[in-house]
Amino acid sequence: MTRVMSVGTPGVGIRLTEAARTEAPIRLPAEARPMDRIGRARKRFGSAIERVGFALRYRLADLTYAVGVAVPRRTVAGRYWSYEPTNAHGDDAGLAALSGLPDDATVIDIGGHAGEYAVPLAVDTDRRVVSFEPNARSADRLRRTAERTGVGDRVEVRRLGIGSDDGERSVYRSTYPTLSSFDREAARR
């Protein structure tokens, strides 16, 4: 019987038999080679900085909503008032494409979050936007943003999720609100 041993990192899929280990040296693919100490430390440090940055950004958003501080944002679809601390979709190509819709179109926004698409698309047009957002906190933020911008009468917020089948499901709220999901593991990213 041949003994089999796994080599490399999980998911790489390299397996050697006892005979293969003794006959010839094996060159592991780059993705299976261990990172050097500095590389691992740099990766951990970068991940920690990123987590801290996101945490600060979302805490700042919580504060701006609590205090009621909205600032004007310019996007490719129009200007609007936002409580969000960054202008993540200011020059978004998808938003630019949607802004070319007729001024009297009805736009369906699935996963509306805080209204970064829905609200600018309704500004200075007769468009009606129906935004689906299952997360209660995000749906409230979207409503507030639409009202503050003056398009609350044309942005309809439905606190529902869209999926492939009817039914009720739990919504798992992520530490990072844009990652909330019906899938518990996806919300933990």
Side-chain angles (χ1 to χ4, degrees):
M1 181 171 321
T2 304
R3 205 171 94 204
V4 178
M5 168 179 106
S6 293
V7 178
T9 56
V12 174
I14 299 171
R15 298 187 62 80
L16 301 175
T17 64
E18 185 80 28
R21 284 189 293 138
T22 59
E23 291 175 9
I26 303 293
R27 291 202 53 86
L28 297 176
E31 65 271 11
R33 292 183 205 135
M35 292 177 66
D36 60 51
R37 283 177 144 166
I38 294 171
R40 284 193 307 266
R42 188 177 299 143
K43 186 174 182 177
R44 279 194 308 268
F45 183 71
S47 294
I49 294 294
E50 185 178 61
R51 282 192 305 275
V52 168
F54 277 117
L56 288 172
R57 182 215 182 273
Y58 289 114
R59 296 301 80 76
L60 182 58
D62 290 344
L63 180 63
T64 60
Y65 280 96
V67 175
V69 176
V71 296
R73 297 281 185 218
R74 188 180 67 214
T75 72
V76 292
R79 293 179 64 87
Y80 74 107
W81 287 88
S82 176
Y83 297 92
E84 294 294 311
T86 61
N87 191 9
H89 300 287
D91 59 355
D92 188 283
L95 186 58
L98 290 169
S99 70
L101 291 169
D103 282 354
D104 62 347
T106 297
V107 179
I108 306 297
D109 179 19
I110 299 173
H113 187 240
E116 295 99 333
Y117 271 69
V119 175
L121 288 171
V123 171
D124 297 330
T125 69
D126 291 326
R127 289 187 196 116
R128 179 172 175 257
V129 181
V130 181
S131 187
F132 293 88
E133 176 51 60
N135 182 313
R137 185 183 213 176
S138 294
D140 178 58
R141 289 178 173 190
L142 197 159
R143 280 187 192 96
R144 288 182 64 185
T145 300
E147 290 297 326
R148 175 64 178 91
T149 304
V151 295
D153 59 328
R154 288 182 287 114
V155 175
E156 179 183 342
V157 181
R158 294 192 182 179
R159 222 187 114 226
L160 298 168
I162 301 296
S164 60
D165 54 274
D166 291 340
E168 291 188 18
R169 293 177 128 180
S170 296
V171 175
Y172 298 98
R173 189 172 166 271
S174 173
T175 305
Y176 310 118
T178 56
L179 298 179
S180 295
S181 176
F182 294 119
D183 176 21
R184 181 186 301 243
E185 290 307 311
R188 291 183 181 178
R189 292 181 279 166

